Structure formats: structure tokens, C-alpha cells
Amino acid sequence: MRLLASLHESADRAGVVVTPHGSLSRHELLGRAAGVAASIAGAPIVAVEAVPALSTIVTVTGALLAGVPIVPVPPDAGVSEREHILRDSGATLLPAGLAAASAATVPAEPAPSTAALVLYTSGTTGPPKGVVISRAAIAAGLDALAGAWQWTAEDTLVHGLPLHHVHGLVLGVLGPLRLGSGLAHTVKPTPAAYASTPGTMYFGVPTVWSRIAADPAAARALAPARLLVSGSAPLPVPVFDALAALTGQSPVERYGMTETLITVSARADGERRPGHVGTPLPGITTRLVDEAGAVLPTDGETIGHLQVKGPTLLDGYLHGGDVRPPDLVDGWFPTGDVATVDPGGWHRIVGRASTDLIKTGGYRVGAGEVEDTLLRHPAVHEAAVVGVPHPDLGEQITAFVVADPVGAAELIDFVAGRLAVHKRPRVVHLVDSLPRNAMGKVQKGLLTTD
């Protein structure tokens, strides 16, 4: 089966891909992408500046038709980051808005094991790493989501997410091209853009959904949709609750990362629990282990390091033209995240082991639980919780909060009255804003008490 199966169907639909600046039917997209494929045939690897435009979608589609791995370069990448990506991958950067002539001949489908994308992802240390993802992994991931979300050709997906991440590119562009649904890309994921663009499915990150929840008129405009999907970071429970109240439906959360694609999700026709990301998708298995690698119980309480196994895993990391296999643990991929899993398989992501698992006074505390509680205070708009080294406690729970006028002591007491007292922040810093990356994730490493 072809990776971009719906592009090759004989039936056509006007406006399969729509942006504020134009649209392409299935036939037009296939013709233009085939022209790109012909122009880059035989290239070892190429790169594209992943601007939010039809040109990026055409170029990525063309590379996939040609079987040439493609590197989407973030359009806001600084000079050093751009140079690193191009040097590390060895990719040739294609001209901006590459406009190859349409071609009638479509190349033969490459082997499923062929590398499709090289997505650069930032780790906690060092420069970004090039994650090599095969055609087979993308197909397996999208097909699993099609079942979980009842995603069909009758859907129209709306989003304005960047086109250089799994969320915006793999799910948000390749998903429609494989499954046949329409795509309306709003360029920016603003409440006004989403509210004015009709669709049946909407994709967003927590920052997007938080802003929509704060705009009741925009949120109510999404009520006719059948699925609101949140990912890339945990969705705060207050935002989950607000969306449910304003739209009449709870959002669907899912979990994944660049190296694994999407592995866990709530279902379109199933339960949706605030603070949880669902159960493993078909073909995916997960487990929790402790620091020594011993398997932990799935009792809904025990926090452990999350490992996953399945057909959506990366091939490896690209470096100097070679692909270094990932460091698996008996076939399991260590995600670097910590989580709880209940007896029914429901996963709650505590956060990154390096920043969100706080060991304080002999207790293990998940930063997300404290953040969600702080967000329930009427004065609080944003919250980030970290562990700061402490001579007595080991780590001290410390909160950075964006809020209307409120005292730090009041926020500490607010948490202590709703969670176990050892989970309260010992220190609260009131700040003007939290540092975030392009996907809206808080960059906790940039938080400072100085």
C-alpha cells in the first residue's frame, strides 16, 4: 500500500489542502509533487525550509514520492541551529518555494523500510539530533490513529501547527494525504482562525487550547466538530474542563514523541479522562521501570520511567551520513518520561524524568499534579513547577507562576489544602511569563531563581 494512499485514488476532491493563500486538489498536489520528485530523483537527502505554506506540503510530498529522505528545517531556526542541521544531515537545502513543473508520471512506491523523514529534535543537552523515521513507521502510526479516532475521508482536519514536527507534519499533513480527509491549515493556530474555519477535527497543543478556552465565543464555534485533539505536552486539567463546558465535548489527548510517533491515546468513541493520555494504540506495548530497570506495578499510583515498544519506533539518529541505532533496553525504547499506568492501561504522564519528577524529603512528586492544582486558583494563568537542589530535602518544590495580583503564601496554602502537604511548593516566584518553545512547551531549563 502506498504511504500517501489517498493521493493516488481516481476520485478527486476540490480543496484537499487549503490555506489562507490558496488550495490544491488531490490531482493538482500529486502533479506538482511528482514534478518535485522528478527534479530530486537520486538525491541522497534533501531539506526544505518548513514555512507554513503550500510550497512546504508540495515539496515534502514530492520527496516522499521520490523516496528521498527530507529534513524539514524550522523557519525560525537561528543561524547556528540551521547550520548544524544542514551540516549534520548533509542535506541539500531546496530553493524556497520550489516550483518544479507538474509531472504526469509518479515514481514507483519505495520500499516500506526506506527512510522518509529526518526530524531534528532538541534534547536536554547538546545540539538537536536528527531522528530517522521510516515510511513503515509513519504508515503504522497513522493507521493506528485512524482506528482510534475514527478518522476517515469524510473528515476535514483544521490546524495551524508548525510543519517541522510530528504533530503538525506527520499527523497534520501526512495523515490527511494517507487517509483522504481534507486539510485546512490556518498558518497560525489562533482562536479566531480556528473558529472561522469549519472542520470535523481540530489539532492543537495546550497553549492553543488554553487560548481558545479563554475565548468563549471561539470555543463555542468548535462545538460542531467531532474531535478536538491535544498533544505535544500535558493538557492542564482546568483547560480540559473549560473546553468540555464550552464545546460540549471533552478533548482527546494523546502521547508520543519524535522518536516513537504517537503511542498512547484516548479513543473517539471511548472515555476521555482529564490529566490522562489514554491507552496504548494497536501494536504498541508499554511498561514502567524503576531506576534499576525493574518492572513496576500498573496500579495507577506508582511513578516509573516509561518505555515503549512497537512498529512506530525510529530507525535511529542520523550523524555524518550514518544512522546510529537507538539505545534500546531489551527492545524497549526509554522515553525519558515518567508516568503512572492504572490496571485498565490508562496512562498519566508525569513529565520528563529530568525535570518533572521531583524527589523531595523521601517522596516522589510529579510536577504536573502541582501545576494543575495551582492552575485551579482563580488568579493563576500559567504555572511551571521544578525541583531545586536543597541541602535537607534533596529537592525543593519550586513554582514559577504567571498570575493576577496574589501572594505567594496564598498559593502555597491553596496547594497544601488540596494535595498531600509534602506536595506543596515551598517557594513561589511570581513572573511575567514562562519561556516556551515553538510548540508551546515550557522550557524549564530556562527558569531561574536568580
Side-chain angles (χ1 to χ4, degrees):
M1 184 179 185
R2 293 180 183 267
L3 174 59
L4 307 180
S6 77
L7 272 187
H8 304 273
E9 296 174 0
S10 57
D12 203 8
R13 286 176 58 184
V16 166
V17 180
V18 178
T19 75
H21 309 299
S23 66
L24 290 174
S25 69
R26 180 186 293 116
H27 177 74
E28 291 168 334
L29 176 56
L30 183 60
R32 294 190 190 184
V36 172
S39 71
I40 64 173
I45 186 170
V46 295
V48 61
E49 185 172 2
V51 295
L54 288 171
S55 59
T56 298
I57 295 173
V58 170
T59 303
V60 170
T61 303
L64 293 176
L65 291 180
V68 176
I70 186 164
V71 183
V73 179
D76 60 349
V79 173
S80 297
E81 181 182 1
R82 181 183 296 266
E83 289 179 348
H84 165 73
I85 291 173
L86 295 176
R87 180 176 61 253
D88 184 69
S89 66
T92 299
L93 183 64
L94 299 177
L98 177 65
S102 293
T105 302
V106 178
E109 180 73 3
S113 60
T114 303
L117 297 172
V118 180
L119 301 178
Y120 274 78
T121 182
S122 297
T124 54
T125 60
K129 297 181 294 184
V131 179
V132 182
I133 304 172
S134 72
R135 303 173 72 88
I138 293 172
L142 293 176
D143 290 349
L145 288 175
W149 296 346
Q150 300 177 347
W151 187 355
T152 74
E154 301 304 313
D155 282 304
T156 295
L157 170 62
V158 178
H159 75 89
L161 300 173
L163 300 183
H164 52 91
H165 290 287
V166 167
H167 199 167
L169 180 59
V170 178
L171 276 62
V173 173
L174 304 188
L177 298 185
R178 179 169 179 79
L179 304 173
S181 63
L183 167 62
H185 194 275
T186 62
V187 178
K188 293 185 178 180
T190 65
Y194 278 33
S196 62
T197 307
T200 62
M201 303 170 63
Y202 290 79
F203 286 176
V205 298
T207 301
V208 171
W209 293 122
S210 177
R211 291 171 180 170
I212 289 174
D215 186 338
R220 293 189 185 101
L222 304 186
R226 67 173 194 84
L227 216 62
L228 310 178
V229 179
S230 181
S232 298
L235 183 68
V237 172
V239 177
F240 182 104
D241 292 339
L243 287 173
L246 291 166
T247 67
Q249 65 169 302
S250 298
V252 164
E253 292 193 68
R254 89 302 184 280
Y255 166 79
M257 55 192 307
T258 305
E259 286 91 342
T260 67
L261 302 183
I262 308 306
T263 52
V264 178
S265 180
R267 304 307 198 260
D269 60 352
E271 183 183 0
R272 305 172 193 181
R273 297 184 190 176
H276 294 72
V277 293
T279 58
L281 292 169
I284 301 294
T285 52
T286 67
R287 70 178 186 180
L288 300 177
V289 300
D290 63 16
E291 283 81 358
V295 177
L296 295 171
T298 53
D299 55 12
E301 297 292 336
T302 302
I303 296 176
H305 296 266
L306 179 63
Q307 298 180 342
V308 303
K309 182 188 293 187
T312 62
L313 297 188
L314 76 165
D315 287 346
Y317 297 100
L318 187 66
H319 181 68
D322 296 322
V323 178
R324 176 177 64 81
D327 295 324
L328 302 181
V329 180
D330 298 327
W332 296 85
F333 182 83
T335 65
D337 287 323
V338 286
T340 66
V341 182
D342 77 4
W346 274 83
H347 289 53
R348 179 175 65 86
I349 305 301
V350 173
R352 298 298 292 171
S354 57
T355 57
D356 295 311
L357 180 61
I358 303 171
K359 299 175 182 178
T360 179
Y363 295 99
R364 295 157 64 93
V365 177
E369 184 180 19
V370 183
E371 290 163 355
D372 280 339
T373 303
L374 283 165
L375 286 168
R376 291 186 179 278
H377 191 284
V380 174
H381 301 294
E382 298 179 88
V385 171
V386 298
V388 174
H390 189 273
D392 178 48
L393 298 171
E395 288 184 301
Q396 174 180 268
I397 300 176
T398 302
F400 293 79
V401 176
V402 179
D404 296 331
V406 66
E410 179 180 337
L411 296 180
I412 293 171
D413 290 343
F414 182 82
V415 175
R418 287 158 179 80
L419 299 178
V421 68
H422 68 265
K423 296 181 179 180
R424 73 191 187 282
R426 302 294 183 115
V427 175
V428 172
H429 297 281
L430 297 169
V431 297
D432 294 331
S433 64
L434 300 178
R436 296 181 181 274
N437 64 13
M439 290 299 288
K441 294 182 180 179
V442 175
Q443 302 293 89
K444 291 191 174 182
L446 299 180
L447 295 171
T448 176
T449 58
D450 295 337

